[in-house]
Amino acid sequence: MAPWWAKGSHKGTSLVVKMENPNWSMVELEAPSEEDFLIGSTPTGSREKIRGKNAKQLTWVLLLKAHRAAGCLTSITSTFLSFGSTVRRRVASGRTDDNDIETDENKAVKTGFYNCIKVFLWLSLLLFCFEIAAYFKGWHFGAPNLQLQYILSVPVGFKDLFDWLYTHWVLIRVAYLAPPLQFLANVCIVLFLIQSMDRLILCLGCFWIRLKKIKPIPKHEAVADLESGEDSFFPMVLIQIPMCNEKEVYQQSIAAVCSLDWPKSRILIQVLDDSDDPMTQLLIKEEVHKWQQEGAHIVYRHRVLRDGYKAGNLKSAMSCSYVEDYEFVAIFDADFQPSPDFLKRTVPHFKDNEDLGLVQTRWSFVNKDDNLLTRLQNINLSFHFEVEQQVNGVFINFFGFNGTAGVWRIKALEESGGWLERTTVEDMDIAVRAHLRGWKFIFLNDVECQCELPESYEAYRKQQHRWHSGPMQLFRLCLPDIIRAKISVWKKFNMIFLFFLLRKLILPFYSFTLFCIILPMTMFVPEAELPAWVVCYIPATMSFLNILPAPKSFPFIVPYLLFENTMSVTKFNAMVSGLFQLGSSYEWVVTKKFGRSSEGDLVSLVEKGPKHQRVGSEPNLDEIQADLKQEQKTRKTKHNRIYTKELALAFLLLTASARSLLSAQGIHFYFLLFQGISFLLVGLDLIGEQFRVRPQ
């Protein structure tokens, strides 16, 4: 009896394989027929025919595999050619980060730091050439004791000039260079371990919060009062939207705030426009006017004297006489879009909690998957909010205000001295002063406010410089006040050592010094050593802990580790500038936004028609197209830059990796190699938004 698959006269289903190469034609491959399964009962001639057909099919399958392999090689080659072309154009353009230096003082500071890096680079190149020459002369590149044995085993009379020079170089290394380098390495290792322990404790605290399901919960009476719908239970809330030349995002923020679910008679929206561009001022003023016609309680304010940056803007707005009628103030930066129930989920926490001064919410990012840079930022900020902010909020009721997406009790602001323009981190400044006054903070991890991440490395670099120089400015100013404050010794220790020194000063110091300076120097002074667990295992563990709040980003754990070390040069430079009050520490550059989310909102608005409740004022299609064309025109004028400090460090690390390869130091070689490549990519501005400039 024939098997079931051999029943009928079906000869097999044809399989069509399409080859993309135009020199190859399409061919039909037949699927197995009943003859293929009855080989044992078929004549010899039929067997040969079947074998020939199977061989033909196998040949075409192999050709298909070869075609795919050729396509893969072509793609790789095209990628490398494109990469080389991009690098060539970037180098030929000659645009570097030095073009952004405006004052002579800033130029002197940045040039001095760059010159220090160049000294290490040239010294490493000189030593590398010296070591290669020694290698061909028969010197060992292993442990230091082998080198000393070689020195002692060669009679003095038989040594030529090079051997004499290298002998004295090794002795100088052992006697004078290795001890201080090893001491500095040990200090950095201790700081590294302390900071790693702090991070581990924070992660354990976050795990405990999740395990016990701990989160701030407003009193039931407050929630019931809001649900009753009577205006008498809704406190007066002031909304502030500070902005400066941010025409890409002003519509989405104003629309989102005007759509908050709160009685219009109990809310006032202040659009605080510090723009110096007349066209931007006109657009924002027109948008406010449109919402006023829709019935929103919104006002437009523009300062004539734009002193104090954002702090001066907020301070000026709080000086209005009508502010006395309001109990709370919510602040949103120009790219933030709160959900309609934002106030209903934050304001109830203040009821019957007179010590509460601030309710901070979490940020979420509309463009976190746009490029590698935004993905890495998402990892960092997810850890910051879910671990640092949440743990500090639950256990000590203190953390740094993020400057936006938070609600303040106006009484807390006034008792703490209000907004001050003395630093570039006015948000952290007011938080520290409020904490010293005894006010408590809570963080709501389950309330999110959408915003936009910087997509270009230039914008991210400037943002990080401000975020890391400002805390050091503030630390110098606040240290006497912290010491004199009438708070517990534990709170003083937490604020001085953990909040400022460990997380704002020690972290960028050891990260840059240990991995960018000491590690490559130990390749040329092998008598000073860094253990493999310092170079690989602990950093990998810390990166794993950092990425836990964003589990979908786990494939980017290695780029994240390398990029964090790469950013250490910017953070270290900013930390030193802020600590010693150098010129660059007072730079305030508004983080550039592209309005990624607003474009989608505008397009959906045109498709859906006039729905003012959530999206905003109804612009016509011509206006939308004009705005988008203007945005594209603006982007064309932008350029990617070359960052000299990052490039110098890239060559330093790559030179050290080559030296470690000669010494057969495996884990050190791989770390230095990949870290050097990371610095090279960042130095050539190949991470983040790539601006394509059309030739004129």
Short mmCIF file of all heavy atoms in Angstrom, two decimals, residues 216-219 328 347-359 397 409 439-442:
data_model
loop_
_atom_site.label_atom_id
_atom_site.label_comp_id
_atom_site.label_asym_id
_atom_site.label_seq_id
_atom_site.Cartn_x
_atom_site.Cartn_y
_atom_site.Cartn_z
N PRO A 216 3.90 56.55 47.21
CA PRO A 216 3.11 57.60 47.89
C PRO A 216 1.66 57.53 47.45
O PRO A 216 1.35 57.46 46.26
CB PRO A 216 3.78 58.90 47.42
CG PRO A 216 5.13 58.50 46.93
CD PRO A 216 4.98 57.12 46.39
N ILE A 217 0.78 57.55 48.42
CA ILE A 217 -0.66 57.48 48.15
C ILE A 217 -1.33 58.67 48.83
O ILE A 217 -1.16 58.87 50.04
CB ILE A 217 -1.27 56.17 48.66
CG1 ILE A 217 -0.60 54.97 47.96
CG2 ILE A 217 -2.77 56.14 48.42
CD1 ILE A 217 -1.09 53.63 48.48
N PRO A 218 -2.07 59.47 48.09
CA PRO A 218 -2.77 60.60 48.73
C PRO A 218 -3.88 60.09 49.64
O PRO A 218 -4.38 58.97 49.48
CB PRO A 218 -3.33 61.39 47.54
CG PRO A 218 -3.46 60.39 46.45
CD PRO A 218 -2.32 59.42 46.64
N LYS A 219 -4.27 60.92 50.57
CA LYS A 219 -5.34 60.53 51.48
C LYS A 219 -6.66 60.35 50.73
O LYS A 219 -6.93 61.05 49.75
CB LYS A 219 -5.49 61.58 52.58
CG LYS A 219 -4.26 61.65 53.49
CD LYS A 219 -4.49 62.58 54.66
CE LYS A 219 -3.29 62.57 55.59
NZ LYS A 219 -3.48 63.45 56.76
N PHE A 328 -0.43 76.66 44.76
CA PHE A 328 0.56 75.76 44.17
C PHE A 328 0.97 76.28 42.80
O PHE A 328 0.21 77.01 42.14
CB PHE A 328 0.00 74.34 44.04
CG PHE A 328 -0.50 73.76 45.33
CD1 PHE A 328 -1.86 73.69 45.60
CD2 PHE A 328 0.39 73.30 46.28
CE1 PHE A 328 -2.32 73.17 46.78
CE2 PHE A 328 -0.06 72.77 47.48
CZ PHE A 328 -1.43 72.71 47.73
N VAL A 347 -1.71 67.01 42.88
CA VAL A 347 -2.14 67.98 43.88
C VAL A 347 -2.75 67.32 45.12
O VAL A 347 -2.54 67.81 46.24
CB VAL A 347 -3.12 69.00 43.25
CG1 VAL A 347 -3.70 69.93 44.32
CG2 VAL A 347 -2.41 69.82 42.18
N PRO A 348 -3.52 66.22 45.02
CA PRO A 348 -4.10 65.61 46.23
C PRO A 348 -3.08 65.21 47.28
O PRO A 348 -3.42 65.08 48.46
CB PRO A 348 -4.84 64.38 45.68
CG PRO A 348 -5.20 64.75 44.29
CD PRO A 348 -4.05 65.57 43.79
N HIS A 349 -1.82 64.99 46.89
CA HIS A 349 -0.80 64.60 47.87
C HIS A 349 -0.52 65.72 48.87
O HIS A 349 0.01 65.46 49.96
CB HIS A 349 0.49 64.21 47.16
CG HIS A 349 0.40 62.92 46.40
ND1 HIS A 349 0.67 61.70 46.97
CD2 HIS A 349 0.05 62.67 45.11
CE1 HIS A 349 0.50 60.74 46.07
NE2 HIS A 349 0.13 61.30 44.92
N PHE A 350 -0.84 66.96 48.52
CA PHE A 350 -0.56 68.08 49.41
C PHE A 350 -1.59 68.22 50.53
O PHE A 350 -1.31 68.87 51.54
CB PHE A 350 -0.52 69.39 48.60
CG PHE A 350 0.68 69.54 47.73
CD1 PHE A 350 0.63 69.21 46.37
CD2 PHE A 350 1.87 70.01 48.24
CE1 PHE A 350 1.74 69.35 45.56
CE2 PHE A 350 2.99 70.15 47.44
CZ PHE A 350 2.93 69.83 46.09
N LYS A 351 -2.78 67.66 50.34
CA LYS A 351 -3.84 67.88 51.32
C LYS A 351 -3.51 67.22 52.65
O LYS A 351 -3.10 66.05 52.70
CB LYS A 351 -5.18 67.34 50.79
CG LYS A 351 -6.33 67.68 51.72
CD LYS A 351 -7.68 67.48 51.07
CE LYS A 351 -8.77 67.96 52.02
NZ LYS A 351 -10.11 67.84 51.46
N ASP A 352 -3.66 67.99 53.73
CA ASP A 352 -3.38 67.53 55.09
C ASP A 352 -1.94 67.04 55.24
O ASP A 352 -1.63 66.17 56.06
CB ASP A 352 -4.34 66.41 55.51
CG ASP A 352 -5.79 66.89 55.52
OD1 ASP A 352 -6.00 68.09 55.76
OD2 ASP A 352 -6.68 66.06 55.27
N ASN A 353 -1.05 67.57 54.42
CA ASN A 353 0.38 67.23 54.49
C ASN A 353 1.17 68.53 54.39
O ASN A 353 1.79 68.84 53.37
CB ASN A 353 0.75 66.27 53.35
CG ASN A 353 2.10 65.61 53.57
OD1 ASN A 353 2.81 65.92 54.52
ND2 ASN A 353 2.46 64.70 52.68
N GLU A 354 1.12 69.28 55.48
CA GLU A 354 1.65 70.64 55.46
C GLU A 354 3.16 70.71 55.32
O GLU A 354 3.71 71.76 54.99
CB GLU A 354 1.22 71.38 56.74
CG GLU A 354 -0.28 71.53 56.88
CD GLU A 354 -0.87 72.32 55.73
OE1 GLU A 354 -0.20 73.25 55.23
OE2 GLU A 354 -2.01 72.01 55.32
N ASP A 355 3.87 69.61 55.59
CA ASP A 355 5.33 69.60 55.44
C ASP A 355 5.77 69.31 54.01
O ASP A 355 6.97 69.39 53.72
CB ASP A 355 5.95 68.56 56.38
CG ASP A 355 5.75 68.91 57.84
OD1 ASP A 355 5.62 70.12 58.12
OD2 ASP A 355 5.73 68.00 58.67
N LEU A 356 4.85 68.94 53.14
CA LEU A 356 5.20 68.58 51.77
C LEU A 356 5.37 69.83 50.93
O LEU A 356 4.46 70.65 50.81
CB LEU A 356 4.12 67.68 51.17
CG LEU A 356 4.38 67.17 49.75
CD1 LEU A 356 5.65 66.33 49.71
CD2 LEU A 356 3.19 66.35 49.24
N GLY A 357 6.56 69.98 50.34
CA GLY A 357 6.84 71.16 49.54
C GLY A 357 6.85 70.90 48.05
O GLY A 357 6.61 71.82 47.25
N LEU A 358 7.14 69.65 47.61
CA LEU A 358 7.32 69.36 46.19
C LEU A 358 6.79 67.98 45.86
O LEU A 358 7.03 67.01 46.61
CB LEU A 358 8.80 69.45 45.80
CG LEU A 358 9.21 68.90 44.43
CD1 LEU A 358 8.61 69.75 43.31
CD2 LEU A 358 10.72 68.82 44.30
N VAL A 359 6.08 67.87 44.76
CA VAL A 359 5.70 66.58 44.16
C VAL A 359 6.33 66.53 42.77
O VAL A 359 5.98 67.33 41.90
CB VAL A 359 4.17 66.41 44.07
CG1 VAL A 359 3.82 65.13 43.31
CG2 VAL A 359 3.56 66.39 45.46
N ASN A 397 12.95 61.47 51.79
CA ASN A 397 12.10 62.61 51.40
C ASN A 397 12.89 63.77 50.82
O ASN A 397 12.52 64.94 50.99
CB ASN A 397 11.27 63.11 52.59
CG ASN A 397 10.30 62.06 53.10
OD1 ASN A 397 10.39 61.66 54.25
ND2 ASN A 397 9.40 61.59 52.26
N ARG A 409 4.61 73.77 46.38
CA ARG A 409 3.80 74.61 47.25
C ARG A 409 4.46 76.00 47.26
O ARG A 409 5.65 76.13 47.58
CB ARG A 409 3.75 74.03 48.66
CG ARG A 409 2.75 74.74 49.58
CD ARG A 409 2.89 74.25 51.01
NE ARG A 409 2.60 72.83 51.14
CZ ARG A 409 1.38 72.33 51.36
NH1 ARG A 409 0.34 73.16 51.44
NH2 ARG A 409 1.20 71.03 51.49
N TRP A 439 11.37 71.20 54.49
CA TRP A 439 10.32 70.76 53.59
C TRP A 439 10.63 69.35 53.06
O TRP A 439 11.78 69.01 52.82
CB TRP A 439 10.15 71.73 52.43
CG TRP A 439 9.60 73.06 52.85
CD1 TRP A 439 10.31 74.20 53.09
CD2 TRP A 439 8.23 73.38 53.08
NE1 TRP A 439 9.47 75.22 53.47
CE2 TRP A 439 8.17 74.74 53.47
CE3 TRP A 439 7.04 72.66 53.01
CZ2 TRP A 439 6.98 75.39 53.77
CZ3 TRP A 439 5.86 73.29 53.32
CH2 TRP A 439 5.83 74.64 53.69
N LYS A 440 9.57 68.58 52.83
CA LYS A 440 9.71 67.21 52.34
C LYS A 440 9.29 67.13 50.87
O LYS A 440 8.46 67.91 50.41
CB LYS A 440 8.87 66.24 53.17
CG LYS A 440 9.32 66.14 54.62
CD LYS A 440 8.46 65.16 55.39
CE LYS A 440 8.91 65.04 56.84
NZ LYS A 440 8.06 64.09 57.61
N PHE A 441 9.87 66.15 50.17
CA PHE A 441 9.56 65.93 48.76
C PHE A 441 9.06 64.49 48.58
O PHE A 441 9.46 63.59 49.31
CB PHE A 441 10.79 66.12 47.87
CG PHE A 441 11.51 67.43 48.07
CD1 PHE A 441 12.84 67.56 47.72
CD2 PHE A 441 10.86 68.54 48.60
CE1 PHE A 441 13.51 68.75 47.89
CE2 PHE A 441 11.51 69.74 48.77
CZ PHE A 441 12.85 69.85 48.43
N ILE A 442 8.20 64.30 47.59
CA ILE A 442 7.83 62.94 47.19
C ILE A 442 7.97 62.82 45.68
O ILE A 442 7.81 63.80 44.94
CB ILE A 442 6.40 62.55 47.62
CG1 ILE A 442 5.36 63.43 46.93
CG2 ILE A 442 6.25 62.61 49.12
CD1 ILE A 442 3.93 62.96 47.18
#
